[in-house]
């Protein structure tokens, strides 16, 4: 007696669709690349289209010169005590407890330009809102303030690897001369930074001036 075994029927149930549209891989990747490129793109825009401004630095720690390939810089406009003298600071100081209270510092060009070393621009006022329609000799630099800490995104200077010892030596020499000069009223060393500031107040450093010597960033 032969037992009849029914043929196995092929299943017609739909199989799971494992194919994923290619755009699901490319779109997140493109978004991530866009985010990564956003900051350099902003810096590139500011570098090309920004206005040249000169900022006066303040003396740095002489025992911290040779710590690496970067130097932490501070400016006259980094000191809240100096900004406190300017019109508009009272409104910003009132909100200093907020995290990174943004503000705009209006700087004015010196009457004499195109000299070596360049002359620092003068701060004239501050504002919570971004100033518009400024005259040609003024620019608004965006900063942040909290708990007596003022920053402009210009506080770190990355030294060229092949020149860091030279630059550190020049800074050290200038600091020593400056301390000596304060006692006999001689001219202090020009220690200024050239930056570019765009129409939104963003800034990037361009060069560091030590007397008549310029070191590009």
């Amino acid at each position: 007696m032969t037992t009849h075994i029914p043929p196995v029927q092929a299943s017609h149930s739909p199989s799971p669709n494992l194919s994923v549209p290619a755009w699901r891989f490319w779109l997140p990747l493109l978004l991530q690349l866009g985010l990564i490129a956003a900051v350099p793109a902003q810096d590139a825009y500011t570098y090309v289209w920004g206005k040249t401004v000169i900022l006066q630095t303040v003396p740095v720690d002489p025992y911290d010169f040779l710590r690496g390939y970067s130097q932490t810089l501070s400016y006259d406009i980094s000191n809240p005590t100096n900004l406190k003298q300017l019109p508009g600071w009272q409104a910003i100081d009132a909100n200093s407890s907020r995290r990174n209270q943004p503000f705009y510092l209006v700087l004015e060009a010196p009457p004499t330009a195109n000299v070596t070393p360049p002359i620092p621009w003068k701060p004239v006022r501050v504002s919570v809102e971004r100033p518009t329609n400024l005259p040609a000799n003024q620019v608004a630099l965006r900063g942040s303030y909290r708990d007596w800490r003022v920053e402009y995104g210009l506080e770190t200077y990355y030294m060229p690897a092949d020149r860091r010892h030279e630059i550190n030596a020049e800074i050290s020499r200038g600091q020593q001369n400056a301390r000596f000069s304060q006692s006999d009223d001689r001219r202090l060393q020009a220690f200024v930074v050239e930056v570019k500031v765009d129409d939104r107040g963003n800034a990037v450093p361009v060069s560091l001036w030590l007397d008549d010597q310029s070191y590009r960033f």
Side-chain angles (χ1 to χ4, degrees), residues 2 6 15 37 50 62 86 91 99-100 103 119 171 198 213:
T2 303
S15 60
L86 301 176
R99 182 174 180 79
N100 297 327
F103 71 93
I119 300 174
I171 294 176
D198 66 20
Q213 184 67 46

Side-chain angles (χ1 to χ4, degrees), residues 2 17 21 74 104 116-117 121 123 176 178 211 215 217:
T2 303
N17 185 10
S74 188
Y104 294 87
T116 302
W121 286 41
Q176 293 174 0
D211 281 336
Y215 299 91
F217 282 84

Side-chain angles (χ1 to χ4, degrees), residues 20-56:
V20 178
W23 63 268
R24 292 193 177 185
F25 293 101
W26 288 109
L27 184 59
L29 179 60
L30 291 175
L31 289 175
Q32 292 181 23
L33 291 176
L35 292 174
I36 294 173
V39 174
Q42 175 63 63
D43 287 351
Y45 172 85
T46 304
Y47 188 91
V48 173
W49 299 107
K51 179 180 289 187
T52 299
V53 174
I54 306 301
L55 301 179
Q56 177 64 61

Side-chain angles (χ1 to χ4, degrees), residues 3 20-21 50-51 78 82 87 89 115 118 125 138 151-152 160 169 199:
T3 303
V20 178
K51 179 180 289 187
S78 303
N82 296 335
W89 182 251
V115 297
R125 64 185 173 92
Q138 292 186 354
E151 294 182 341
Y152 301 94
D199 55 356

Side-chain angles (χ1 to χ4, degrees), residues 7 12 21-22 26 32 41 43 50 58 63 67 85 92 96 105 114 118 124 166 170 174 189 194 209 215:
H12 296 288
W26 288 109
Q32 292 181 23
D43 287 351
V58 297
Y63 300 104
R67 66 179 185 174
Q85 313 302 321
I92 296 169
S96 62
L105 171 65
N114 301 322
V124 293
E166 173 193 354
E170 281 298 310
Q189 181 199 37
E194 177 183 337
W209 283 85
Y215 299 91

Side-chain angles (χ1 to χ4, degrees), residues 12-200:
H12 296 288
S13 61
S15 60
N17 185 10
L18 299 178
S19 64
V20 178
W23 63 268
R24 292 193 177 185
F25 293 101
W26 288 109
L27 184 59
L29 179 60
L30 291 175
L31 289 175
Q32 292 181 23
L33 291 176
L35 292 174
I36 294 173
V39 174
Q42 175 63 63
D43 287 351
Y45 172 85
T46 304
Y47 188 91
V48 173
W49 299 107
K51 179 180 289 187
T52 299
V53 174
I54 306 301
L55 301 179
Q56 177 64 61
T57 67
V58 297
V60 297
D61 183 359
Y63 300 104
D64 200 26
F65 286 156
L66 303 177
R67 66 179 185 174
Y69 291 95
S70 66
Q71 178 60 257
T72 300
L73 298 174
S74 188
Y75 306 90
D76 275 0
I77 57 175
S78 303
N79 188 344
T81 301
N82 296 335
L83 299 180
K84 189 177 180 179
Q85 313 302 321
L86 301 176
W89 182 251
Q90 186 175 5
I92 296 169
D93 199 23
N95 294 322
S96 62
S97 59
R98 293 177 51 186
R99 182 174 180 79
N100 297 327
Q101 164 69 33
F103 71 93
Y104 294 87
L105 171 65
V106 178
L107 296 156
E108 186 173 282
T112 304
N114 301 322
V115 297
T116 302
I119 300 174
W121 286 41
K122 176 184 176 182
V124 293
R125 64 185 173 92
V126 293
S127 173
V128 175
E129 303 295 332
R130 182 168 59 88
T132 57
N133 299 322
L134 291 174
N137 66 335
Q138 292 186 354
V139 70
L141 173 64
R142 189 177 190 277
S144 64
Y145 172 65
R146 188 193 181 193
D147 297 333
W148 287 82
R149 184 180 180 87
V150 177
E151 294 182 341
Y152 301 94
L154 300 167
E155 287 71 25
T156 302
Y157 165 54
Y158 294 97
M159 302 181 184
D162 59 340
R163 304 190 70 181
R164 67 187 183 103
H165 293 299
E166 173 193 354
I167 296 173
N168 282 324
E170 281 298 310
I171 294 176
S172 179
R173 181 187 61 80
Q175 298 281 278
Q176 293 174 0
N177 290 341
R179 286 197 296 273
F180 177 71
S181 299
Q182 289 174 354
S183 62
D184 63 358
D185 294 330
R186 293 198 309 168
R187 181 180 66 86
L188 302 180
Q189 181 199 37
F191 187 7
V192 298
V193 171
E194 177 183 337
V195 305
K196 289 286 191 74
V197 183
D198 66 20
D199 55 356
R200 307 293 298 178

